[in-house]
Amino acid sequence: MTFLQNSDSTIYEILHSEYVRERDTLELIASENFTSPSVMEAAGGVMTNKYAEGYPGKRYYGGCDHVDEAEILARERAKTLFGAEYVNVQPHSGSQANMAALMTFLNTGDTVLGLDLSHGGHLTHGSSVNFSGQLYNFVSYHVLEETGRVDFKEVMELAKEHKPKLIICGGSAYPRFIEFDKFREIADKTGSFLMADIAHPAGLIASGVHPSPISFCDVITTTTHKTLRGPRGGMIMMGKDGENPWNKIAPKSGRVKNISELIDSMVMPGIQGGPLMHIISAKAVAFAEALRPSFKVYTKQIVANAKTLASTLTSKGYKIISGGTDTHVILIDLTNKNITGKSAENCLEKAGITVNKNMVPFDKKSPFITSGIRVGTPAVTTRGMKEAQMEIIAEMIDSIIIDFENDKKINNIKNQVKELCNDYPLYKDLFTT
Ligand SMILES: Cc1ncc(COP(=O)(O)O)c(C=O)c1O
């Protein structure tokens, strides 16, 4: 960092402060993680300089030999990782992956089923403030109040009633396995396309700790920066190319021969220009890391940690939506603890524990207040923490929440958080101070 320190000390100090924050706090936001230094090196590397509109072998710019190599490698590694026949690594984010996938399979105004945002879905699954809700006719399905799991009876009824052209499964705050096989059965009954958004469990799926969507879904989208522990970005995959009843999307097909070409053209030129080649090279690095046996050890530990955190909190009287977790996500309803999600987020942050407020299914509070928080274990697991540390973290969370106006206690816990973080160092050599 010496160049930056000398040339722009202002932004250097800001980056340094963010590093200290990441180092000295417990990161429990379920969608965040810490990449390896190698991923960061690639993401901050020379490929940030290169324009490469197009795809390997078919670019609109010269000088693309090496970016072609990086993109081909990223694709091939992702194919191996997920067992996919087709991969597009260019989407700048998960939202753009979703936009390109939806634009491939749908025409404006088409009907789509997606999980309600307040029941664990994502903005791009039909929220009225998002392109998805504005361009398409989204109908929401829900989880059951008693179980916190997808209400497949409702999904079936809605599918029969609305005959959706596409069904999306997956979400941002769904702690249980996504049951791709059950969604497939329903999609087959109504002749709908099935799209899986695996942004959250992608790393668990890549390592076989969560069931795979690859043989059930027509198209799969993901982010690369959550459990997959890569750089911030998106990706689109298909298990098989061209096996879909693609006459349904033929009016949009133009000159393309198969669906993969259509997806490629929806990403670029459809919704993006030049790919972020530095990020694509960093994706390649992350995929290689995820292919190593040690990654499976890591993802198993993520889930073991989440289960321990959930069961310890349960033993302290917390209501965990769905009664536990199969993944890295824990959704906690704080109603019986007489604190809102917003206040819980704030007082935990004062102690150096970062979580996010989150609506719980059937929440009576607004998205700005919420009755719950979402907690996740990918980042603390990357630091090396295990079940014993999860028990300590659950103790700390509880001590703060039951006494959230006690600033003295919160300050004490902040010191304990710092000590715990010191025992699990982060990016030791990134900054010298
Ligand atoms: C299920 C799901 N899909 C898509 C996205 C969007 O990803 P991004 O923030 O990269 O646009 C997210 C991000 O939180 C997500 O959880």
Side-chain angles (χ1 to χ4, degrees):
M1 287 272 185
T2 42
F3 290 108
L4 189 59
Q5 192 169 13
N6 293 332
S7 69
D8 188 340
S9 58
T10 314
I11 192 75
Y12 175 86
E13 285 307 327
I14 294 171
L15 291 189
H16 185 260
S17 302
E18 171 58 11
Y19 162 64
V20 170
R21 187 196 70 80
E22 292 183 15
R23 185 193 64 193
D24 293 349
T25 60
L26 287 168
E27 185 52 75
L28 291 175
I29 292 182
S31 48
E32 295 189 12
N33 209 335
F34 301 119
T35 72
S36 70
S38 311
V39 166
M40 269 210 268
E41 220 162 62
V46 287
M47 285 193 182
T48 195
N49 299 324
K50 188 70 196 98
Y51 243 117
E53 275 179 2
Y55 289 95
K58 283 180 281 174
R59 305 280 191 188
Y60 292 91
Y61 289 82
C64 285
D65 289 358
H66 305 302
V67 292
D68 277 7
E69 286 166 0
E71 184 164 348
I72 290 167
L73 201 56
R75 280 182 187 167
E76 292 310 312
R77 288 176 176 176
K79 285 181 191 172
T80 311
L81 200 52
F82 290 94
E85 193 172 290
Y86 161 82
V87 172
N88 186 314
V89 292
Q90 290 198 4
H92 299 335
S93 72
S95 298
Q96 275 163 305
N98 284 350
M99 188 173 205
L102 292 176
M103 284 176 66
T104 300
F105 287 89
L106 302 173
N107 292 307
T108 312
D110 279 345
T111 298
V112 191
L113 289 193
L115 180 59
D116 191 286
L117 182 61
S118 65
H119 285 230
H122 184 257
L123 282 170
T124 53
H125 301 185
S127 163
S128 61
V129 295
N130 181 260
F131 82 88
S132 55
Q134 288 165 11
L135 296 184
Y136 307 111
N137 173 36
F138 264 86
V139 177
S140 295
Y141 59 87
H142 304 88
V143 298
L144 281 164
E145 194 158 11
E146 314 81 70
T147 62
R149 294 174 192 245
V150 169
D151 181 352
F152 281 100
K153 194 161 163 275
E154 186 201 26
V155 181
M156 185 72 247
E157 282 164 9
L158 290 174
K160 276 190 185 151
E161 182 185 343
H162 297 281
K163 309 224 165 3
K165 189 141 164 210
L166 184 140
I167 300 173
I168 304 185
C169 55
S172 298
Y174 189 68
R176 296 298 179 174
F177 285 154
I178 309 166
E179 294 170 278
F180 306 111
D181 50 345
K182 289 192 182 165
F183 280 104
R184 180 77 260 171
E185 261 178 50
I186 294 173
D188 280 346
K189 289 212 170 90
T190 52
S192 313
F193 291 114
L194 182 60
M195 169 173 151
D197 179 346
I198 60 165
H200 265 268
L204 311 183
I205 290 170
S207 50
V209 168
H210 182 298
S212 167
I214 210 81
S215 59
F216 296 108
C217 298
D218 299 292
V219 64
I220 298 155
T221 59
T222 186
T223 57
T224 48
H225 49 271
K226 298 184 171 89
T227 51
L228 198 47
R229 209 166 58 179
R232 191 158 293 282
M235 180 160 79
I236 306 177
M237 300 180 274
M238 287 194 294
K240 289 257 179 287
D241 183 13
E243 276 202 350
N244 300 288
W246 80 298
N247 55 342
K248 281 193 188 174
I249 52 175
K252 290 174 79 174
S253 66
R255 285 168 289 122
V256 303
K257 291 196 280 308
N258 49 28
I259 294 181
S260 57
E261 283 180 51
L262 198 53
I263 296 177
D264 282 350
S265 73
M266 284 302 164
V267 174
M268 205 305 290
I271 63 165
Q272 291 186 179
L276 307 176
M277 291 313 309
H278 53 310
I279 297 300
I280 289 173
S281 65
K283 286 175 182 171
V285 175
F287 300 154
E289 289 175 358
L291 281 164
R292 291 185 197 132
S294 56
F295 192 74
K296 184 164 186 162
V297 176
Y298 163 64
T299 54
K300 275 184 164 172
Q301 190 65 52
I302 291 180
V303 177
N305 283 353
K307 284 182 188 289
T308 302
L309 200 49
S311 62
T312 314
L313 288 168
T314 304
S315 70
K316 294 179 180 304
Y318 287 81
K319 184 179 172 209
I320 310 292
I321 299 298
S322 85
T325 182
D326 298 327
T327 64
H328 60 298
V329 177
I330 305 157
L331 191 57
I332 309 169
D333 182 348
L334 295 168
T335 309
N336 66 343
K337 297 284 174 185
N338 298 317
I339 183 171
T340 64
K342 186 178 176 198
S343 299
E345 179 188 301
N346 287 341
C347 62
L348 289 168
E349 185 161 359
K350 280 195 213 158
I353 300 177
T354 319
V355 304
N356 65 279
K357 61 177 172 296
N358 215 98
M359 290 186 87
V360 295
F362 309 96
D363 209 325
K364 295 189 181 60
K365 297 205 163 65
S366 84
F368 300 103
I369 306 292
T370 80
S371 298
I373 51 172
R374 186 186 63 162
V375 172
T377 52
V380 286
T381 309
T382 294
R383 291 185 85 139
M385 295 185 195
K386 297 212 165 83
E387 287 90 334
Q389 289 71 46
M390 297 306 117
E391 286 174 12
I392 297 170
I393 292 173
E395 291 285 345
M396 296 198 277
I397 291 175
D398 180 48
S399 300
I400 294 166
I401 282 183
I402 58 174
D403 206 4
F404 67 95
E405 281 167 346
N406 185 340
D407 283 340
K408 194 162 166 246
K409 190 175 181 190
I410 290 178
N411 255 333
N412 280 341
I413 295 176
K414 190 175 182 176
N415 291 332
Q416 291 168 32
V417 164
K418 180 122 193 296
E419 274 169 30
L420 183 58
C421 290
N422 283 346
D423 291 342
Y424 295 88
L426 185 69
Y427 301 133
K428 266 195 302 220
D429 303 322
L430 193 61
F431 288 89
T432 44
T433 53

